[in-house]
Every structure is written in C-alpha cells, then in structure tokens.
Amino acid sequence: MSSTPENHSHSPRVVIVGAGIVGCSLADELTARGWTDVTVLEQGPLPAPGGSTSHAPGLVFQTSPSKTLAGFAKYTVEKFLSLDVDGVPCFNQVGGLELATTPERLAELHRRAGYAAAWGIRGEIVDTARCKQLWPLLDESVVLGGFHTPDDGLARALLASRAQMERATGRGARFLERHTVTGIEKEAGRVAAVVTDQGTFPADHVVSAAGFWGPVIGRMAGIDVPLQPLAHQYAKTEPLPELSAATAEASKPILRFQDRDLYFREHTDRLGIGSYAHKPMPVDPFAILPYDEARAQNLDMPSSFPFTEEDWAPSWDDCRRLVPALRNAEIEAGFNGVFSFTPDGMPVLGESRQLRGFWLAEAVWVTHSAGVAKAVAEWMVDGRPSLDLHECDLTRFEEAQRSPSYIRERGSQQFVEVYDVLHPLQPMEQPRPLRVSPFHARQQQLGAFFLEGGGWERPHWYEANAPLVDALDPLPERDAWSARYWSPIAAAEARATREKVALYDMTPLRRLEVTGPGALDFLNRMTTNNLRKKPGAVTYTLLLDETGGVRSDLTVARLAPDRFQVGANSPADLDWLARHAPDDVHIKDITSGTCCIGVWGPLARDLVQPLTRDDFSHEAFGYFRAKETYLGHVPVTAMRLSYVGELGWELYTTADLGLRLWDTLWEAGRELGVVAAGRSAFNSLRLEKGYRAWGTDMTDEHTPYEAGVGFAVRTDKEFVGREALTDAPLTRKLMPLLLDDPADVVLGKEPVYVDGVPAGYVTSAAYGYTLGRCVAYAWLPASLTTGAGVHIEYFGEKVPATVAEEPLFDPKMTRIRR
C-alpha cells in the first residue's frame, strides 16, 4: 500500500516518534534493511521513557484467533530469544498456561488449541494434575484443565528495547531523549519534518510509534488515530513464603485465569497480578502528563496512574480462591497502567494517504511488537509486508466508526472482552444500530435477526420464514456453539432461493464510481482481467500487489465509455486505487448514497420482467451484463450477477428510492412465493458454488492460482503484479472439503490434519443445505487430490472430511445461465 519509496542516492530520512518497544524494534528492523538514516525522538528519558513499555508485565501468549497477530507474536518470541543485554536474555521462555474453571472455558481452550495447531504454535490441552504440576501454587479443586504452550513466556521489554536500540545505533541510527514533538511539517501533501522543543528534523518518512500518545501526534499531522488509552490494574504481592527459595525472576509458566479476567507472573519471591475485571477506565491521551510533570506529582511515570483499591477488591478475592498462598498475603504495591485499545482490538498500521510518508505503528502490545516492526519495515522498504495486514490496516474503519465517541465506547468494550469467550459471529452490542439500509423498517417487520459488520446492520435470517422450516427434512442437531447466531430458518431461506426466489439486502457491499477520460486505461492496468469491453459488460477481476498477492477481488461494470461501477471489499481498495489514480480519473465511494437488492432464484425473471419494458431474457440480458433501466417507478442499475449460484440480478438504486424498490419487488413477488433471505443462507449458497470471500478465503499472502481464481487473470495484457506471477508449481491451494458425517459442522479457522499432522486450516465453512453436508474451504498442500481423506479438529475432536471437486453445486452453471 505504500506509495513508491523515493529514489535517494542516500538512505531515506526516517524519523520515528517514540522509543518504546515498537519504536526501538522498528529502528532495528529498518537499519537491518539498509535504511540507516533513522532518528528516534523520545520525550522521556532513555532507556525507560515512561510509556506503556516501561511498565509492561511482558506476558507473551502467541495463540490468537487472528493468524496475523499470531504471526507477529511468533516473530517477537523468535527475535527476543536471540537478544540479550550484558548476558541477560531478553526473553524468558517459561511457557504459558491458561486455566479453565468452567466447562465453557474448557471448550474454549480446546478451540484455542485448534488455533495454535492451525498457526503452527506448540500447545496441548492438559488435565488438572498437569496444571498443578506446572503451577504448584494452584488450588486444583477449582481447575478443570488447561492449555499449555511451552514456547510462550516473558519478554523483558525494556531490555529488548535497549538491545535493539544498541544494534540500530551501531548501524547509524540515533536515539534522542527529552525531545518533545510539537508539530509535523508538510509540503505538497507529503511529510517534510518533525518539529520538537529541541529543533526541527527533516524527514522523508515519519512513523508515529507513540503508543497512547498516538492521537496527539496524529492530530499534529492532521490524521485521526482510532485509539483509546485505558488504565489496567497491576499489583505485586509481598514476598510469599512458598516462593522464598526462588532465585530466578520466573520459573513457572505465565498463568491466565480468564474466567475471572486475571493473569499471574512471578517476580522472584512475589507474584505480579493483572486484572481486566474492573470497569473500563478510559484516559484522555491529550491529558496525559509529560514525564517530568508526572514525576512531580509523585507518579512513577506518565503511564502509571494511582492504584484504585476499590476496583481491585473483587479480583483479590478471586486470586485468593485460586491460589491459597495468597489467603494470608497482602498487596505490597500496585498501579493502574495505561495502554492502547482500538474499536476492534487490532493494531493500527500503515501509511496515510492524506499525508504521504506519515506512517502509523500504533496500538501495539509488547506481545506483537517485533512482528509489527518487521512488517512495517518491510512495507516501508520493499513496498509491502510479507504478512497479510488487512485486519490492521489504518484504512479499515468506516467514517461512521471514527468518531471520538465510537472509538471510546468500542475501545472500552474491547477492554471488557479481552478474556471473554467470543463467538466468531458475535456482534458488538453498542452503538447499534449505526448504519441501516433503506429496507431496515421492512426487515424489522419481517422479524430480521441482525448481526453487525462495518457498522451495518445485516439480516442473517427472518423469523417470518419460520413456518417454511416445517416443510424441510429434519436437520441434524447442532452443538451449542455452532447453534449460536444460527437458525434452521437459514435452511428454509436457502431452499426458497434454490426453488423459487428471494430478496437479499446487499447494501453493505462497497460500491465505487470510477469516471474520467482515463478510467478504462487505469482500471485495466490496475486489475488482472480484460476490461476493454463494450458498455454494459461486467467483469470479475482481481487487484494484485506488485508481488502477485491478491489484494482484493472486484466486479467492474462498464456503464458508459468513461463511467464504471466497481464492487469492492474494504476501504483499503479505495485507498489503493486512489493512490495510483492519474489526474484524469475520479474515484468516489457511493456506498452510503446507494443501496442494492439481490433478486435470486429460478423465478427471478418472472418477478422482475413484468416491472420493466426492457427485455430481461437470457438472450437480451446475458450473464455478467449490466443495464440501466426502470423497475416500476424506480431507476435501477441491474447487473446479471449471482453469488448464490442461481438466476438473478443485483439491483442498485439511490438510497432515497430504496424502500420503494423493496416494496415494488415484494409486491410483485407475492404470488411467486418470494421471501426475504439473510446472510446465513447467502453464505451457505456461495460456498456450495465455491465463491471466494476476500479477507477470509484469500488475502495478499496468496496468488490467484493458489486461491483458485486464476481464471480472472489475463497474462496477455499489462497489469500491476503481472511480472511476479510465474508458472512455478503450486505448493498450497484453497480446496473444498465436504465433511463426511451430515451431522458434523465446523465454523472456520480450525486446523486440518493430513496423516495425523496439521497441514492447513479452514477459512470459510457453512452447512450446505442443498448438499446435505457441511462445506469447508481450507488451505492445504497442493499435492492432495480429490477424494483424499483429511480430519478437521473441532473442539478437540477430529472430524473426518474429504477433498471434493469444485464447484460442488451445478458445475455446468446451467441454473445461472438460463
């Protein structure tokens, strides 16, 4: 996503704001790649400047539902293990132990063990006796089991900062303490310099690695940083007799007691305990004191707030129940430490398009610090990171998700949910509803069950369709986990789509309008397929990066010689296109001003044809064609597309006419048995057809050929990433799996075992109601052939599945092309 790095005869001038663990790691990674003109500015004293790094307890648990976060953490462990300062290692690999004291948590630990296997992290579920053996201070009577990860441990964050600072300095970097940033200078849309109270530092690139001060630095640059600092309680006990023989700083695994939002680590003969159990304590980043003022008010550092014992009291009771040695102990010291949260709990990384050369490396915990630094350094030096970062991209938040109140509210909720058992479909509860389609009132009348994504309310099924369930063959019983945010009504809606016709609200899908004399040449150069077709053509195509990775997939409709409507995925697509657009091309996000209804099913033509004078026959309006027309009183852009594998159209109009369009279609469809259908049925139907979901099934870590979308690549034309695509044999592929037992269901991100060994992981999964089996797509070794047997681990159980031929449903496309 970076704009092309400048061609300097010397190394580009980089100024990093903040010498915490992220800033020091980044200076080390950049200088290791030959960018040696690096200046790190820090307002506090070095090597402990008083930000979050200075008080961080240093726990590194690598396992995460996010493959990207797990990758960051794995690299952080690997790097810190290789570092020491004066013979003291920067990482103490004591392992990690997560405890279950409830059946629900034990099930969650099995799921976490699945993540670990999927992402290549060593870990195993252990019984109560083994938990007691690993952590003798436990009261084993309250423990049901645990998840042991031997490669986790304690990062000595200040030592790791110092070790990397020394390496970077040896390559030419300089670290300047007591330099408070007061401004960011700009020139012609690019960053030019960083102004401090000690002078001005010219820069080609500026990286804000300021931690909870990130919003302050961002405001100087005119950039919103969607980050909310919160205070978090940490306490140290007095010396414990049970630890009196301890000589090492820590010898037992770091411990997580998530059922009570607590974690524990040793400090030689004491225990350190952190709590997320208290109410959120948001902190205004603009009100955090500078280092010297904080010290003058008897605070250890700016990031350390006074301990609030009343908030600690319930957690202390929980600690004493779990660890009998604490029942006669006291807390010797405690503080409320400030660190950063975002609305979705992920870091904020990347270069701002509003101010070229201004980068963010914010909301990064010690756990992920070196991994983030490596990715950002690759991004800056090479133009792209080696890990998929779409979950961390600074562009990912919609405009509606960037208000200060939203960031505060959702950042605070992320704090509350740090250790909660969260279902993959579980929506945030507040603030909702935020974004609604024009059909929202009708959907409510039909009893829509809404989930949320991108701020949008998205119907997943409609209670009005409950009577249709009676006509179905009985569905297999679901386990409690897969039954959450699911209803058998989805099966009825899928069947109605296959047999009659259904209306789908596709409004949340992103729509861009690309216009101007250079629009065709520009889009044809940026994407893989041939767009040089007459107006009225719709083309499925890909956005690749320079290394051939799939940045996104698009549908591009040529509505006029110099006007295109692009169906895109994320705000990053708009950002990427806008970065590359020449002056004679204009790109506008039209999503919020428009809406879309998918009309799909064998009776779709019977529904729409009577509403228009235009010919909607297959001969006159073929597949992947677009037409601007009227349905009743409503002007629409109709596109003959289908992501459910049935005849039909996507119908677009302006938001003000959306309700009229819905009512027009609903009334016309009554005698045909039309239903409204939700995302749950949609996902099932798309997987039966093998349609990929970008960001889930494929990312820029994958090439089109690996992802099974090579049909959208035309190598006889020039496009971004073409040179990187080769005919080299594939080592991995995205493959469809059918679960052998009709009663088995998986949800995604589970590890897949081949010959008893983890060999890949599930991306998307849903029950295929037409097929009578759960469908799971998975990244697996390319050597696997159709019919091969594999096992998917679901909550500790190995579920048999078979590699299938795709598409699983209607391979000759007869249902769509009729």
Side-chain angles (χ1 to χ4, degrees):
M1 259 186 221
S2 166
S3 50
T4 306
E6 306 79 359
N7 291 316
H8 293 279
S9 55
H10 61 285
S11 171
R13 297 166 300 180
V14 180
V15 175
I16 299 171
V17 181
I21 189 70
V22 178
C24 292
S25 298
L26 181 57
D28 183 48
E29 296 286 341
L30 285 172
T31 55
R33 287 167 174 77
W35 279 24
T36 55
D37 189 349
V38 174
T39 302
V40 185
L41 302 175
E42 175 53 61
Q43 66 171 351
L46 294 173
S52 300
T53 302
S54 301
H55 70 245
L59 283 73
V60 177
F61 281 91
Q62 299 170 82
T63 305
S64 168
S66 164
K67 180 173 178 284
T68 300
L69 288 186
F72 288 158
K74 284 171 68 178
Y75 181 77
T76 301
V77 168
E78 177 188 313
K79 184 174 186 181
F80 288 2
L81 273 171
S82 72
L83 299 176
D84 70 84
V85 175
D86 300 331
V88 179
C90 292
F91 193 78
N92 185 0
Q93 201 161 40
V94 291
L97 179 63
E98 303 178 37
L99 298 179
T101 60
T102 64
E104 295 78 12
R105 180 65 63 179
L106 189 58
E108 166 73 356
L109 293 187
H110 278 286
R111 197 159 66 101
R112 288 181 60 76
Y115 294 143
W119 313 147
I121 297 164
R122 287 203 305 158
E124 63 173 341
I125 298 295
V126 295
D127 61 15
T128 303
R130 179 63 174 146
C131 291
K132 176 73 171 177
Q133 188 181 9
L134 288 164
W135 234 82
L137 299 184
L138 292 175
D139 178 352
E140 69 268 37
S141 70
V142 301
V143 176
L144 301 181
F147 173 44
H148 180 225
T149 45
D151 298 329
D152 290 338
L154 291 164
R156 297 183 173 100
L158 285 176
L159 275 189
S161 296
R162 193 173 137 202
Q164 293 177 99
M165 192 186 307
E166 289 172 359
R167 292 208 313 193
T169 302
R171 301 186 193 111
R174 56 180 177 164
F175 290 75
L176 303 177
E177 63 181 1
R178 304 280 187 184
H179 279 63
T180 300
V181 175
T182 57
I184 306 289
E185 290 186 355
K186 312 164 192 177
E187 197 174 289
R190 282 200 67 89
V191 74
V194 178
V195 183
T196 76
D197 58 353
Q198 305 289 325
T200 298
F201 296 84
D204 301 304
H205 296 273
V206 173
V207 186
S208 178
F212 52 70
W213 279 294
V216 179
I217 304 301
R219 181 177 289 182
M220 294 177 195
I223 306 301
D224 285 333
V225 179
L227 173 164
Q228 176 61 56
L230 286 115
H232 159 64
Q233 291 205 304
Y234 192 78
K236 279 187 190 176
T237 68
E238 62 187 3
L240 301 176
E242 292 81 356
L243 297 177
S244 59
T247 54
E249 177 197 14
S251 58
K252 289 184 269 299
I254 48 177
L255 186 73
R256 289 210 276 197
F257 180 22
Q258 289 120 309
D259 287 323
R260 287 294 180 267
D261 296 306
L262 292 164
Y263 62 82
F264 300 77
R265 60 152 293 181
E266 296 163 281
H267 293 277
T268 314
D269 61 352
R270 297 164 169 79
L271 285 182
I273 307 163
S275 170
Y276 293 99
H278 54 84
K279 66 179 185 294
M281 302 177 189
V283 175
D284 179 359
F286 294 90
I288 297 174
L289 297 174
Y291 187 90
D292 291 325
E293 288 184 38
R295 297 287 288 178
Q297 294 195 19
N298 293 320
L299 298 175
D300 285 342
M301 58 187 93
S303 61
S304 175
F305 283 29
F307 193 60
T308 46
E309 292 189 16
E310 65 278 9
D311 294 306
W312 176 254
S315 290
W316 189 226
D317 291 340
D318 292 329
C319 294
R320 288 168 152 169
R321 273 195 291 273
L322 181 70
V323 182
L326 299 178
R327 289 170 189 169
N328 296 314
E330 297 296 333
I331 294 298
E332 188 173 79
F335 66 97
N336 291 354
V338 181
F339 62 142
S340 304
F341 285 80
T342 58
D344 60 1
M346 298 294 286
V348 182
L349 311 177
E351 183 192 21
S352 166
R353 186 164 47 86
Q354 288 74 30
L355 183 60
R356 299 294 178 90
F358 185 82
W359 296 77
L360 296 180
E362 297 291 10
V364 181
W365 295 8
V366 171
T367 302
H368 310 117
S369 54
V372 164
K374 175 175 183 269
V376 173
E378 290 172 335
W379 209 343
M380 295 174 73
V381 176
D382 305 326
R384 80 178 291 275
S386 54
L387 271 184
D388 163 48
L389 298 189
H390 81 272
E391 294 176 312
C392 310
D393 195 296
L394 60 81
T395 65
R396 71 187 181 272
F397 296 112
E398 305 284 345
E399 198 62 35
Q401 298 174 302
R402 302 185 77 94
S403 69
S405 55
Y406 184 97
I407 292 164
R408 180 184 175 96
E409 194 167 340
R410 290 223 163 170
S412 297
Q413 187 63 20
Q414 286 294 331
F415 178 93
V416 171
E417 294 176 353
V418 161
Y419 285 166
D420 286 2
V421 177
L422 298 175
H423 193 277
L425 292 175
Q426 186 167 331
M428 293 287 252
E429 295 302 320
Q430 296 295 333
R432 288 182 64 196
L434 186 60
R435 307 174 82 186
V436 297
S437 76
F439 331 125
H440 189 251
R442 297 292 183 266
Q443 293 166 342
Q444 288 179 305
Q445 291 164 7
L446 293 168
F449 180 86
F450 292 100
L451 297 180
E452 179 265 350
W456 288 101
E457 294 296 314
R458 302 172 186 234
H460 272 242
W461 65 83
Y462 294 85
E463 290 296 330
N465 297 323
L468 301 177
V469 174
D470 297 337
L472 300 175
D473 292 332
L475 291 166
E477 282 289 314
R478 286 207 170 203
D479 65 278
W481 185 252
S482 65
R484 288 182 69 185
Y485 307 106
W486 174 83
S487 168
I489 294 170
E493 293 173 0
R495 181 170 176 177
T497 309
R498 291 273 186 247
E499 295 182 355
K500 294 183 179 180
V501 61
L503 304 185
Y504 287 82
D505 178 3
M506 306 305 289
T507 300
L509 296 184
R510 184 169 311 281
R511 292 172 289 287
L512 308 178
E513 184 179 70
V514 182
T515 57
L520 173 60
D521 288 342
F522 167 67
L523 287 172
N524 208 43
R525 186 179 74 254
M526 293 301 297
T527 70
T528 58
N529 215 332
N530 176 30
L531 302 185
R532 295 192 186 280
K533 302 171 184 174
K534 293 177 182 176
V538 183
T539 306
Y540 176 80
T541 187
L542 308 172
L543 282 181
L544 304 187
D545 63 22
E546 289 85 350
T547 66
V550 182
R551 286 192 50 86
S552 190
D553 62 343
L554 311 175
T555 51
V556 180
R558 191 177 189 187
L559 302 179
D562 58 357
R563 180 166 60 91
F564 296 80
Q565 182 171 310
V566 177
N569 285 299
S570 73
D573 295 344
L574 172 62
D575 185 78
W576 176 257
L577 291 171
R579 284 178 186 275
H580 291 84
D583 292 341
D584 63 350
V585 174
H586 307 285
I587 305 172
K588 182 182 179 184
D589 189 327
I590 59 170
T591 310
S592 58
T594 54
C595 59
C596 178
I597 300 174
V599 181
W600 290 312
L603 302 183
R605 186 174 286 117
D606 301 79
L607 194 159
V608 296
Q609 184 62 80
L611 298 173
T612 179
R613 293 181 180 179
D614 281 308
D615 187 350
F616 270 54
S617 68
H618 181 63
E619 294 71 26
F621 196 160
Y623 191 51
F624 269 90
R625 300 291 299 170
K627 189 174 289 190
E628 294 183 294
T629 183
Y630 288 87
L631 294 183
H633 297 96
V634 182
V636 299
T637 300
M639 296 189 198
R640 180 95 185 269
L641 302 175
S642 172
Y643 283 94
V644 298
E646 297 293 336
L647 171 69
W649 288 265
E650 291 179 359
L651 303 173
Y652 298 89
T653 191
T654 50
D656 56 329
L657 290 164
L659 193 57
R660 184 61 179 255
L661 177 61
W662 179 280
D663 289 346
T664 299
L665 294 168
W666 189 257
E667 194 56 40
R670 277 181 187 275
E671 61 186 36
L672 302 172
V674 71
V675 303
R679 300 291 295 186
S680 190
F682 176 89
N683 204 40
S684 168
L685 297 168
R686 82 155 177 97
L687 282 171
E688 290 185 330
K689 282 299 291 179
Y691 293 139
R692 277 56 168 155
W694 185 85
T696 303
D697 298 318
M698 58 186 180
T699 69
D700 62 6
E701 290 184 7
H702 310 112
T703 70
Y705 306 119
E706 291 174 327
V709 288
F711 63 86
V713 178
R714 296 288 176 269
T715 53
D716 57 354
K717 62 161 228 177
E718 291 297 323
F719 57 84
V720 173
R722 177 178 176 270
E723 292 73 23
L725 297 179
T726 69
D727 296 326
L730 303 181
T731 59
R732 59 179 179 176
K733 286 175 71 175
L734 186 64
M735 298 183 182
L737 304 175
L738 278 176
L739 275 63
D740 293 354
D741 188 332
D744 286 336
V745 173
V746 298
L747 299 181
K749 299 190 176 183
E750 296 88 358
V752 182
Y753 288 75
V754 177
D755 298 329
V757 178
Y761 60 91
V762 175
T763 57
S764 297
Y767 201 84
Y769 301 110
T770 321
L771 303 171
R773 291 280 193 283
C774 183
V775 180
Y777 269 77
W779 282 101
L780 288 166
S783 56
L784 283 180
T785 56
T786 301
V790 301
H791 286 85
I792 304 172
E793 185 178 328
Y794 181 71
F795 286 97
E797 298 289 323
K798 299 289 199 306
V799 177
T802 302
V803 177
E805 189 88 37
E806 64 175 343
L808 305 169
F809 176 77
D810 187 26
K812 295 185 178 176
M813 302 281 280
T814 55
R815 298 175 72 91
I816 291 177
R817 302 177 187 272
R818 60 180 173 184

